[in-house]
Amino acid sequence: MNNQIHISFPAIPINEGVARMVISGFLMGIDPTIRELEDVKTAVSEAVSNAVIHAYPGGCGEVRMHATLDENKLELTIEDDGVGIADVQKAMEPMFTSCPKAERSGMGFTFMESFMDTLSVQSNPDEGCCVCMTKIFGKTDAYEM
Ligand SMILES: Nc1ncnc2c1ncn2[C@@H]1O[C@H](COP(=O)(O)OP(=O)(O)OP(=O)(O)O)[C@@H](O)[C@H]1O
Ligand SMILES: [Mg+2]
């Protein structure tokens, strides 16, 4: 099945849940396993919450989510126009956070990387952040029942 959606919404906390619901509905057509669905919802939560928490300090801007399904391959992009990231490689390290006082664990990118098949992050200071992830559905996992 081929399909695509594009949505945009303000970077406010309630929209993390909205984005999760939207991606769940979008994937219904390919009948994902519960685990596949949870993996994608977690990745969406992490990417959207990053835009909500980090992208627009002291303000609120736009977040865009694009999802494309080509047969059983999902391509998912979540982007903002916020402050961006100076050192993307550093930001993607497990347990790196720029907000330790807010008790963040610095595991968002690590979760996205482990729950999706591919992750790429493009960002520059003051040029927003674009997170692109892909996942192939229906792969059989030998260790899964
Ligand atoms: N959309 C974004 N805009 C600006 N900075 C970002 C964005 N997304 C991530 N970052 C930066 O990358 C760092 C690492 O992000 P990551 O999601 O891995 O951890 P975290 O958000 O700090 O903590 P956690 O996700 O575990 O609550 C953040 O602390 C922040 O500095
Ligand atoms: Mg995060």
Side-chain angles (χ1 to χ4, degrees), residues 45-47 49-51 53-54 96-97 104-109 112:
S45 281
E46 293 296 338
S49 72
N50 275 354
I53 293 159
H54 303 296
F96 172 85
T97 180
R104 309 228 68 87
S105 55
M107 293 300 287
F109 284 130
M112 291 179 233

Side-chain angles (χ1 to χ4, degrees), residues 21-22 25 30 40-41 47 53 57 68 74 93 99 104 111 140:
M21 298 279 288
V22 169
I30 56 165
V40 176
K41 283 162 69 180
I53 293 159
T68 304
L74 172 71
E93 281 174 13
C99 315
R104 309 228 68 87
F111 288 148
T140 45

Side-chain angles (χ1 to χ4, degrees), residues 65-77:
M65 180 168 84
H66 310 281
T68 304
L69 255 181
D70 184 0
E71 301 299 337
N72 64 340
K73 182 177 178 186
L74 172 71
E75 205 173 293
L76 186 60
T77 304

